[in-house]
Amino acid sequence: MTAMVDDAGAVASTNGQSALTVNSLWKVFGPRADKIVGSPEADLSRAELLAKTGCTAAVRDVSFDVAPGEVFVVMGLSGSGKSTLVRCLTRLIEPTAGQITIDGEEVVGMSDTRLRELRRHHVSMVFQHFGLLPHRKVIDNVGYGLEVRGESKTDRRARAQEMVDLVGLSGNENAYPDQLSGGMQQRVGLARALAVNPSVLLFDEPFSALDPLIRRDMQNEVIRLHHEVGKTMVFITHDLAEALKLGDRILIMRDGALVQMGTPAEVVATPADDYVRDFVSEVPRSHVLTLAWVMRPPRPDEALTGPEMTPDTIVRDAARRVIDAADPVKVVDNGELLGVVDQDDILRVIVAEETPS
Amino acid sequence: MTIELAELDHPAVEAPTPPDEESNRKRWWALGAALAVWVVVGTVLSGRNTQDLPNAELTGFQTWLTDLYGNLQDAKFNGDWFIKPAVWIGDSLDWIVTTLQHLFVSDPDRPLQVAQFGWAGVVALVVLIAYALSGARIAVLSLAVLLAIGYAGYWEAGIDTLIVTGVAVVICVLIGIPTAIWMSRSSAASAAITPVLDAMQTMPAFAYLAPLALLFGIGNSGAVVVTLIYALPPLVRITAHALGTVSPTTVEATASLGSTENQQTRKVRLPMSKRTIIVGLNQTIMAALSMATIAAFIAGPGLGQPIVRALNILNVGVAFVAGACVVLLAIMLDRATERAGIRAELAARSGGNENVRRIVLGVLGVAAVIALYLSHSQLRWSVFPESDFGAQVARRVNDWTDAFTGAVGDFTAWVNDTATTYLLNNLEDLLANSPWWLVAAAILTVAALLGGAGKGSFQRVVTGVALCSLAVLAAGYYAGSVPDINWVPYWTGVVVLLAVGGYLGAGEAFLPTAVCLTLIFGVGLWNDSMVTLSMTLFATLVVMIFGVTIGTWMGRSHRVDAAVRPFLDFLQTMPALVYLIPALALFPPGKFLAIAAAVLYASPVAIKIAADGIRSVSPTTVEAAQAIGSNRWQMISKVQLPMSKGSMVLAANQGLLFVLSMVVIGALVGGGSLGYLVISGFSQGQLYGKGLAAAIAITALGIMLDRITVHTAARYGRAETA
Ligand SMILES: Nc1ncnc2c1ncn2[C@@H]1O[C@H](COP(=O)(O)OP(=O)(O)OP(=O)(O)O)[C@@H](O)[C@H]1O
Ligand SMILES: [Mg+2]
């Protein structure tokens, strides 16, 4: 996915605008929830707050930016507030406080009509349990978003058919949802979200109801679609492997609050606290870390005659050549020597994974 | 297609944590003590302060009601503004029904005038509609049913019943679906409407007649109004429930695509609840048919008339034939809606035999046009051919009944006499012949002890009950010492009682019970109400014996369940009035006959709830008990019955309400008491007020029994069966 980011990142840096900005977002459930934010109670832990006021702070003071074309993953344990966060983005759940900007437009405080326009044209969402209409054929499920915004039947049929083909469901357009497997149903969900041609796609644990093999297929499907349509994506998951596989950046939540945000390598290499460390302890680091994280300054006695590599090369991909090379590999970016990596450095990463910690 | 709506019926009552054993035991002791006091004091003071009111006498309140009736008639005549809406509604409904009658049935007022479209046209039309909505089999069924009804000699009455039912159901849909949508959208609306629906469903069918006839008149208009009001709640309830419980993910998903509220309702909620809504519609249709026959009491047209007339003169045979026609209609409508529900789903999906269907529809359509034309122009196709088939069957049935009675008459008479002398009369003595204040105090004690945990400790509850009983007692003595009811001490007693009971928090059922008893006393029909209550309790006892035994049997064996359930389903499709007929064949007219009909009527629902309760005892628990080595009897008595106590109380709740509603209708065959007053209120103008008062008392009885049992069930926690 890294290749993608490079293009998208370039787009982002040229116009300098982000697709989605969230600024100190709060969501508190419970009686008189709006009184909590800004009061001393807001500093209490979630459990204390619940005991004291009967309110649950599902999202606490979360801020982040998503660049156009970026795949932004939000992860955390069950109950950490991920679903609430993503639903606040289009106000399926009304945020308690904070600002949300999508495509330069302020979402909180938007009129109902504007909000509907936003949902109809700019942002769409894929759900864990699909949320398909059982009484409609696949094609009419896919066309639902177009239908509610008033497009003619022929237009939406054509567009829906395109989407059905895009997600690989050709031939099933006249089936009913209950005649499809879980994976196929989620493809319908995906096609429905894509049909309205949104600029931002939201995913709430779209694949956790699927079995592992189908899940891998679907992840690859998302990667493929991202290549083809290049949408901005906010992807919720509690599966770290999925997060690392798909995400350009990862935001980790605990008890509603942001714990760490960064690239997969950053998160794996420098966990912000024990919670994150616990999370990433199971991850094969060599699959995530890049040379930038394992290189070191050259020692005076080292010969700088080894092969050159870029700092964003994944350790696993570099391992063979580093171990085979007689001299340390030079890590070079734009002709500038950043550091070197030798066999020991590589082995340390790989062996560390194998010794149980 | 009957489903248990017990879950839906009382959604407001939550299951609290089950009460601890200790407090339960105390309650039962206290209850036993209260009953003992009641029996002893009641025997000693038997016959005093019974508030017995001779049939032809009216209290001041009842006279006032009679005058109110007269005043309303005058107001209608004078066109007073406040009565205008009711008059307008009544006239419009009457116009609709009369127009349909002109089209399809000859005018009952002018027997010589022939309908625009006679029987052949109607049959063809019904078959066409049945085929279009429910498919070939139902079309054949409808054809057979209509011809059978015609052949039996009840063509016009049958179509009249269909018209009243149909008009009422259409109005139900027009009112009910929007109301349900509103309820599903606004929790305030839901909170406001649900208690109204509760009250409507607790009200026995008979209690609707008088007040509504008062407003909307008797005949066509009154029949449609009572029918639609009686039939409306299931549709609203089930639809609102279905709309509100549509998969939240789907609702969220479609909202996330920018649907408006209206789009959500039209494209998501309604289509997704279609199946359930049709189940609600089915229940509404069955209720409508049942009420449309009962509406014969307020001169509603249709099959109810011959049934009531035949029952009046105790002619089982004629009642049987007319009743069979109603049952045939019930079967037809039930199966037709059931099939329509299934078809609604299949039709969208099957592309295969659509062509065959279209051709058949076309043929039937052409046939219908031809038949309509013929039935419009030729007498042969217009007036259903005369046949004495119905009369023959009636005679045959009467012969059988006589033979049967001759054979087993001694036995049924023995059952009748034994049950009456040893059980019913004693119960009636206790309730109706004890001083009213004693009975009131006893009922309140029962309500306080059984119905609801109360806010206070057990001691506080008992103190409260004792205090309240004292208040009633004092008021009772004082009131009793003055010949006419003395209102001042009466109300003082009531107020003291409510205040003390409320203060002590004697349990959720206490206040409603107190209010209902107050009403019963206030309308001046204490004694008659207690007679009705004793009949109701007695019948419910029998119903519960059936419910617990057959229910346990069914709940423990899938095979028994599969064998018995269709029979119960069938019994439940029979309109209420019909139940009197088999009872009349078995027993001599009188209270016991009414009780027998009520037992027949109420048993299916009670058995089903009991069976479901037993069935839903956690299989793990049953397995564990088996592993310990319980034998079958231990399993039933120590595990399954105790664990389904909540369901059993709920079965009793439904049993009581069904029984009450039938026991009063049983007045038609000698059941006496409140039901009799309702009927004589219709027939004798000066007794009108008393009939209306009886309707109020019936409703109050219903609400009281309902509240006590609902809260008892809640105390036992339906958690184990939910
Ligand atoms: N409607 C609600 N009312 C009250 N509390 C809620 C509501 N919705 C969510 N919560 C609470 O907010 C917290 C966050 O819930 P959320 O569903 O966002 O978690 P999540 O991270 O998506 O978990 P999961 O991985 O299980 O989906 C939880 O403690 C939950 O109990
Ligand atoms: Mg979630």
Side-chain angles (χ1 to χ4, degrees):
Chain A
M1 206 132 218
T2 324
M4 230 355 270
V5 174
D6 285 346
D7 316 347
V11 177
S13 51
T14 45
N15 63 16
Q17 208 189 10
S18 41
L20 168 66
T21 311
V22 172
N23 194 5
S24 7
L25 186 73
W26 282 85
K27 175 64 203 182
V28 184
F29 288 109
R32 299 160 55 81
D34 47 324
K35 298 282 183 295
I36 306 282
V37 182
S39 75
E41 268 99 19
D43 297 328
L44 296 175
S45 80
R46 194 194 254 182
E48 286 166 349
L49 182 70
L50 183 63
K52 189 159 174 214
T53 63
C55 291
T56 310
V59 176
R60 310 159 58 105
D61 198 15
V62 171
S63 309
F64 59 88
D65 263 304
V66 182
E70 185 178 6
V71 178
F72 186 81
V73 173
V74 179
M75 57 175 304
L77 296 178
S78 186
S80 55
K82 310 178 294 290
S83 298
T84 310
L85 172 66
V86 77
R87 279 168 178 70
C88 283
L89 298 182
T90 54
R91 285 171 52 198
L92 288 173
I93 292 179
E94 206 58 54
T96 314
Q99 290 94 44
I100 299 164
T101 316
I102 295 179
D103 288 344
E105 226 183 324
E106 184 54 47
V107 177
V108 179
M110 206 177 239
S111 75
D112 281 357
T113 326
R114 277 301 302 147
L115 182 63
R116 260 201 308 276
E117 286 305 303
L118 179 85
R119 291 176 182 172
R120 285 174 178 184
H121 295 276
H122 298 280
V123 189
S124 57
M125 186 158 167
V126 180
F127 295 82
Q128 177 175 6
H129 298 292
F130 322 140
L132 302 178
L133 295 166
H135 57 282
R136 289 178 169 227
K137 294 174 184 170
V138 164
I139 188 116
D140 295 322
N141 262 293
V142 174
Y144 182 85
L146 307 169
E147 183 180 331
V148 293
R149 69 189 195 195
E151 289 184 20
S152 77
K153 186 157 182 171
T154 38
D155 286 358
R156 60 177 200 252
R157 280 270 164 134
R159 170 80 185 158
Q161 186 61 51
E162 251 175 66
M163 292 301 117
V164 169
D165 296 340
L166 182 68
V167 298
L169 281 178
S170 313
N172 290 302
E173 48 283 313
N174 287 325
Y176 284 85
D178 58 7
Q179 298 167 332
L180 302 179
S181 71
M184 289 160 96
Q185 292 190 36
Q186 194 55 295
R187 283 170 199 261
V188 179
L190 199 56
R192 175 177 65 184
L194 286 169
V196 296
N197 196 17
S199 51
V200 179
L201 270 170
L202 309 176
F203 295 83
D204 185 15
E205 302 198 26
F207 309 140
S208 13
L210 308 178
D211 63 57
L213 281 180
I214 310 280
R215 190 183 310 170
R216 205 179 56 202
D217 277 358
M218 292 298 294
Q219 287 163 355
N220 294 334
E221 187 75 19
V222 168
I223 293 174
R224 180 176 73 80
L225 288 170
H226 191 233
H227 277 282
E228 282 179 30
V229 296
K231 309 273 184 215
T232 311
M233 297 183 178
V234 176
F235 198 103
I236 309 290
T237 180
H238 60 232
D239 175 2
L240 184 66
E242 191 168 78
L244 296 175
K245 184 169 179 179
L246 301 175
D248 297 324
R249 276 190 307 150
I250 300 176
L251 185 160
I252 298 180
M253 287 179 81
R254 180 180 53 185
D255 287 352
L258 183 155
V259 191
Q260 188 172 9
M261 181 162 64
T263 63
E266 272 168 353
V267 171
V268 172
T270 55
D273 62 5
D274 287 345
Y275 176 79
V276 182
R277 193 164 304 125
D278 234 23
F279 240 114
V280 300
S281 64
E282 298 291 311
V283 186
R285 289 155 60 90
S286 61
H287 293 200
V288 179
L289 291 189
T290 56
L291 292 184
W293 292 97
V294 292
M295 68 189 184
R296 54 176 173 80
R299 283 192 289 270
D301 57 328
E302 272 172 330
L304 294 176
T305 51
E308 291 186 0
M309 286 180 155
T310 51
D312 56 6
T313 316
I314 306 274
V315 169
R316 181 182 55 176
D317 301 335
R320 190 80 269 152
R321 282 177 65 195
V322 175
I323 291 168
D324 285 350
D327 293 325
V329 167
K330 291 183 290 183
V331 182
V332 178
D333 192 26
N334 288 331
E336 188 190 343
L337 177 68
L338 300 175
V340 295
V341 180
D342 66 9
Q343 296 177 4
D344 285 351
D345 301 321
I346 294 289
L347 287 176
R348 211 171 295 129
V349 176
I350 294 174
V351 172
E353 284 164 17
E354 284 163 2
T355 47
S357 47
Chain B
M1 190 151 90
T2 39
I3 62 164
E4 284 327 320
L5 285 170
E7 312 286 340
L8 284 172
D9 274 346
H10 303 291
V13 180
E14 288 142 24
T17 45
D20 52 311
E21 284 298 311
E22 181 63 11
S23 119
N24 249 347
R25 196 157 316 124
K26 278 194 213 155
R27 275 170 203 275
W28 286 112
W29 276 112
L31 201 63
L35 287 181
V37 171
W38 183 7
V39 171
V40 172
V41 180
T43 317
V44 173
L45 297 180
S46 176
R48 297 176 60 182
N49 302 130
T50 58
Q51 301 297 334
D52 194 7
L53 188 68
N55 270 340
E57 257 176 50
L58 273 74
T59 65
F61 176 70
Q62 292 161 6
T63 316
W64 181 77
L65 283 177
T66 308
D67 294 345
L68 180 73
Y69 175 67
N71 292 341
L72 275 180
Q73 297 309 319
D74 292 347
K76 277 186 191 173
F77 187 74
N78 298 334
D80 284 353
W81 60 270
F82 65 89
I83 197 81
K84 272 215 171 122
V87 171
W88 183 82
I89 293 174
D91 287 350
S92 323
L93 292 175
D94 187 44
W95 180 83
I96 295 174
V97 174
T98 322
T99 310
L100 287 169
Q101 281 175 329
H102 276 304
L103 278 176
F104 299 115
V105 205
S106 63
D107 188 338
D109 298 332
R110 283 173 292 171
L112 285 183
Q113 180 174 338
V114 177
Q116 290 293 318
F117 301 104
W119 70 273
V122 173
V123 168
L125 209 57
V126 170
V127 169
L128 174 69
I129 295 172
Y131 182 78
L133 294 180
S134 312
R137 262 195 291 170
I138 302 299
V140 174
L141 175 72
S142 313
L143 178 70
V145 165
L146 288 185
L147 291 183
I149 290 174
Y151 206 49
Y154 289 110
W155 173 259
E156 308 203 326
I159 301 304
D160 275 340
T161 297
L162 270 186
I163 288 176
V164 171
T165 309
V167 171
V169 168
V170 168
I171 299 175
C172 278
V173 171
L174 293 181
I175 300 176
I177 302 284
T179 309
I181 292 174
W182 189 35
M183 283 172 73
S184 75
R185 280 195 191 179
S186 139
S187 53
S190 175
I193 295 171
T194 308
V196 179
L197 295 177
D198 279 347
M200 280 163 86
Q201 277 193 316
T202 321
M203 242 167 116
F206 232 46
Y208 282 93
L209 300 176
L212 290 173
L214 169 68
L215 277 178
F216 300 97
I218 57 168
N220 290 343
S221 53
V224 173
V225 174
V226 293
T227 305
L228 94 87
I229 289 188
Y230 182 71
L232 189 59
L235 181 66
V236 176
R237 216 176 213 142
I238 296 176
T239 306
H241 181 76
L243 293 176
T245 50
V246 161
S247 149
T249 322
T250 309
V251 173
E252 201 173 36
T254 45
S256 83
L257 287 161
S259 315
T260 60
E261 278 269 335
N262 286 330
Q263 285 171 330
Q264 292 271 47
T265 302
R266 259 186 308 119
K267 294 172 195 275
V268 182
R269 290 184 191 270
L270 280 175
M272 282 179 79
S273 338
K274 198 159 167 193
R275 221 16 231 285
T276 320
I277 294 176
I278 293 181
V279 171
L281 187 64
N282 173 278
Q283 302 231 327
T284 283
I285 292 176
M286 301 322 284
L289 183 61
S290 176
M291 195 64 183
T293 38
I294 295 178
F297 286 106
I298 51 169
L303 287 165
Q305 301 253 11
I307 298 181
V308 170
R309 240 178 287 129
L311 287 175
N312 248 329
I313 55 168
L314 308 177
N315 188 335
V316 178
V318 172
F320 174 85
V321 175
C325 292
V326 183
V327 173
L328 285 177
L329 279 183
I331 293 173
M332 174 180 109
L333 293 174
D334 182 46
R335 295 301 124 83
T337 33
E338 188 181 6
R339 274 306 299 173
I342 298 169
R343 269 194 58 83
E345 220 154 78
L346 294 180
R349 299 196 171 195
S350 73
N353 49 10
E354 278 304 283
N355 278 337
V356 180
R357 202 176 115 80
R358 250 177 242 137
I359 294 169
V360 177
L361 268 184
V363 171
L364 286 179
V366 172
V369 172
I370 296 172
L372 282 173
Y373 173 75
L374 285 178
S375 75
H376 179 69
S377 53
Q378 293 186 21
L379 203 58
R380 185 148 64 101
W381 300 108
S382 177
V383 178
F384 204 95
E386 287 275 336
S387 141
D388 65 344
F389 174 71
Q392 271 178 22
V393 173
R395 219 173 304 123
R396 194 68 63 77
V397 169
N398 275 335
D399 292 346
W400 283 337
T401 314
D402 288 345
F404 182 74
T405 326
V408 299
D410 289 345
F411 173 70
T412 52
W414 176 81
V415 171
N416 183 23
D417 295 345
T418 317
T420 310
T421 8
Y422 290 105
L423 296 168
L424 186 58
N425 285 354
N426 286 330
L427 193 59
E428 197 180 304
D429 265 348
L430 194 58
L431 277 161
N433 284 341
S434 303
W436 73 270
W437 42 265
L438 177 69
V439 178
I443 293 177
L444 280 169
T445 312
V446 171
L449 285 172
L450 287 183
K455 291 191 282 271
S457 66
F458 179 77
Q459 280 78 4
R460 274 176 72 186
V461 173
V462 171
T463 329
V465 170
L467 276 178
C468 295
S469 309
L470 273 178
V472 179
L473 239 126
Y477 263 130
Y478 194 12
S481 65
V482 185
D484 205 345
I485 296 162
N486 192 327
W487 293 96
V488 179
Y490 169 66
W491 286 113
T492 319
V494 167
V495 169
V496 170
L497 184 154
L498 293 186
V500 175
Y503 171 72
L504 288 170
E508 294 88 335
F510 184 83
L511 278 185
T513 305
V515 172
C516 290
L517 288 175
T518 309
L519 264 176
I520 292 171
F521 190 93
V523 299
L525 294 173
W526 181 268
N527 190 264
D528 286 294
S529 302
M530 289 305 123
V531 174
T532 300
L533 180 60
S534 66
M535 289 165 71
T536 307
L537 291 180
F538 179 66
T540 309
L541 194 69
V542 182
V543 167
M544 283 315 289
I545 292 173
F546 285 150
V548 172
T549 51
I550 303 180
T552 308
W553 195 33
M554 282 170 70
R556 286 171 51 85
S557 149
H558 279 282
R559 251 194 328 174
V560 175
D561 191 287
V564 178
R565 198 169 283 265
F567 180 64
L568 298 181
D569 286 343
F570 170 73
L571 280 181
Q572 284 190 305
T573 50
M574 295 215 315
L577 201 53
V578 173
Y579 281 86
L580 288 174
I581 300 164
L584 183 61
L586 283 175
F587 299 107
K591 284 183 184 144
F592 193 76
L593 168 49
I595 289 173
V599 169
L600 265 184
Y601 180 59
S603 291
V605 68
I607 293 173
K608 278 187 178 177
I609 297 178
D612 293 344
I614 296 279
R615 164 99 5 104
S616 59
V617 171
S618 141
T620 336
T621 317
V622 173
E623 245 168 34
Q626 246 157 6
I628 296 173
S630 319
N631 64 27
R632 180 197 302 187
W633 173 241
Q634 285 168 331
M635 176 74 79
I636 296 177
S637 65
K638 293 203 189 323
V639 180
Q640 290 174 318
L641 280 181
M643 285 192 70
S644 47
K645 252 186 259 166
S647 302
M648 295 304 163
V649 181
L650 222 69
N653 167 277
Q654 292 294 298
L656 279 169
L657 293 180
F658 274 64
V659 161
L660 175 63
S661 123
M662 198 67 204
V663 152
V664 289
I665 299 179
L668 192 58
V669 287
S673 65
L674 290 181
Y676 176 79
L677 296 179
V678 172
I679 296 179
S680 48
F682 295 133
S683 49
Q684 289 159 270
Q686 76 279 13
L687 288 183
Y688 180 83
K690 207 165 177 182
L692 199 54
I696 299 175
I698 294 170
T699 311
L701 271 182
I703 293 176
M704 180 179 93
L705 294 171
D706 177 60
R707 288 297 93 186
I708 295 179
T709 40
V710 159
H711 289 296
T712 310
R715 212 162 53 75
Y716 280 124
R718 278 272 291 171
E720 80 245 17
T721 56

